[in-house]
Amino acid sequence: MLYAAFEVTWAAAGITVPWKEHSSYAPAVQLLLAALAVLAGGACLASTRTLARPGRAVVATVLVVTIPVFVVGTNGLPIYFVTLVTLSGFESTTGLTQVLLNTVGAALLLLVGLSYRRRLRGDCPRCGRPHAGTSDGPLAHPAVSPAPKRTRTAVYLLMCGLLPWAGVKTIWTLGGDALGVSADAWQRTTSLGASGPAKAAAAAGIDVTVLAAMVGVFLLLGLLYTWGQVFPRWTLVLSGRRVPRLLPLIPALLTGIPLTMYGAVLVIMAPLIATGVLPPIEPSAPFTTSSGITWMVEFGGLAFAGLGIGLVVAARSYAARTHPVCTGATATARPE
């Protein structure tokens, strides 16, 4: 209802809400989003009740339709994260609010959908296992364990997608030339409107977007290894305590899914531009050629998609390895 109120208010007042650069939501789209939010809220309420088959089908359909809409609306979250972390500011308060509303809505709807699916299967809506009794008792946590070798190998390969993108940016910040872009042109362009910390990092040869990507890599490694489940010694006061399960999972999924979508679009778009299927991108400062900016689009796509898919894969493994169960849950496997 809060989401719907924002959308209706913005549409009625004619307030611009950007959804990508140089593009904004049309009032009709905002009203449609408001209607979908109301439907999603109704489905959430109905999912807690015992429904006949037609009612269950309606609830499932509403969730299946609305969840992807909210997930797509989170697409700008990584960009806003980078601008906030680097103190670079952001262009639109309404745009940031819209992304945050979509993010919260997507997260809540995913949790409702998961709980609803468990109830339909006769499982505990909290732990997902079949057992007698209530679902509000104590939880039993599994032993600490790293991700399987196959998962770690897959994630490492996906992380390699960062190398071309980060390498080119590092060359520019260290004073070298690449893709037809000189270091001076790159530094002049990136220094416009940059914050003090961003300029200080550039002076040390560190690009702030590469630094933000390293934060994502740090999160990713925590999902793969045991120090992401129990706080290590260097965390001082927290050392030895269990890491709250949702602490790494929520940022990993909320960052990984939008990064995956954004990166996949770039990976597909660059070859289509290079082969003439799509029109070439007009070069803008600091780029001097269409081929240079096309290569950078491809490098960015490999980086974002690689990091995004890596986060999703690692988060899936982490969720399975850390999944607690109610102490009353039966260990008996479900018959096929």
Side-chain angles (χ1 to χ4, degrees):
M1 296 305 296
L2 178 64
Y3 183 99
F6 268 96
E7 298 299 331
V8 171
T9 300
W10 285 334
I15 297 175
T16 300
V17 182
W19 69 280
K20 68 175 185 177
E21 190 176 7
H22 308 308
S23 298
S24 302
Y25 287 90
V29 174
Q30 292 174 302
L31 295 177
L32 176 61
L33 290 174
L36 289 176
V38 173
L39 283 175
C44 290
L45 291 175
S47 70
T48 63
R49 302 181 180 182
T50 302
L51 302 173
R53 186 171 183 177
R56 295 197 299 269
V58 171
V59 170
T61 301
V62 172
L63 292 176
V64 168
V65 170
T66 57
I67 287 176
V69 172
F70 284 93
V71 170
V72 170
T74 67
N75 194 39
L77 186 63
I79 298 175
Y80 281 109
F81 171 77
V82 172
T83 56
L84 291 174
V85 168
T86 59
L87 304 178
S88 300
F90 46 89
E91 295 182 359
S92 172
T93 303
T94 55
L96 175 60
T97 303
Q98 177 79 342
V99 169
L100 292 178
L101 287 172
N102 278 307
T103 301
V104 173
L108 293 177
L109 284 176
L110 285 169
L111 290 174
V112 169
L114 178 62
S115 177
Y116 183 58
R117 180 173 178 270
R118 288 172 175 174
R119 280 197 296 272
L120 289 180
R121 296 176 59 182
D123 295 336
C124 171
R126 182 172 66 158
C127 74
R129 298 287 181 87
H131 64 82
T134 63
S135 60
D136 56 357
L139 289 172
H141 294 273
V144 174
S145 64
K149 184 177 180 180
R150 180 184 301 178
T151 300
R152 298 198 304 269
T153 301
V155 171
Y156 292 150
L157 291 175
L158 289 165
M159 286 170 59
C160 291
L162 286 165
L163 296 178
W165 172 80
V168 169
K169 288 205 162 190
T170 302
I171 289 173
W172 287 331
T173 54
L174 291 176
D177 301 341
L179 301 181
V181 176
S182 66
D184 290 339
W186 172 255
Q187 292 170 3
R188 284 196 305 270
T189 303
T190 54
S191 64
L192 295 175
S195 64
K199 292 180 180 179
I206 303 172
D207 184 87
V208 290
T209 56
V210 175
L211 190 61
M214 293 304 101
V215 174
V217 172
F218 176 79
L219 172 60
L220 197 153
L221 293 175
L223 294 169
L224 294 177
Y225 294 100
T226 56
W227 57 267
Q229 299 169 49
V230 176
F231 285 107
R233 285 180 294 179
W234 50 265
T235 57
L236 303 179
V237 178
L238 297 175
S239 176
R241 297 186 180 184
R242 181 176 293 275
V243 176
R245 187 165 176 262
L246 295 180
L247 183 62
L249 276 178
I250 289 178
L253 292 174
L254 293 183
T255 304
I257 294 174
L259 275 177
T260 300
M261 295 188 297
Y262 183 57
V265 171
L266 296 183
V267 168
I268 296 172
M269 186 173 69
L272 295 178
I273 293 173
T275 56
V277 176
L278 293 178
I281 303 175
E282 292 296 327
S284 58
F287 292 94
T288 57
T289 63
S290 294
S291 61
I293 196 169
T294 301
W295 274 111
M296 199 58 190
V297 167
E298 182 67 17
F299 290 164
L302 291 173
F304 303 147
L307 181 57
I309 298 173
L311 284 169
V312 172
V313 171
R316 184 177 182 275
S317 172
Y318 183 91
R321 288 181 288 115
T322 61
H323 184 68
V325 296
C326 298
T327 52
T330 177
T332 305
R334 182 193 307 279
E336 295 295 336

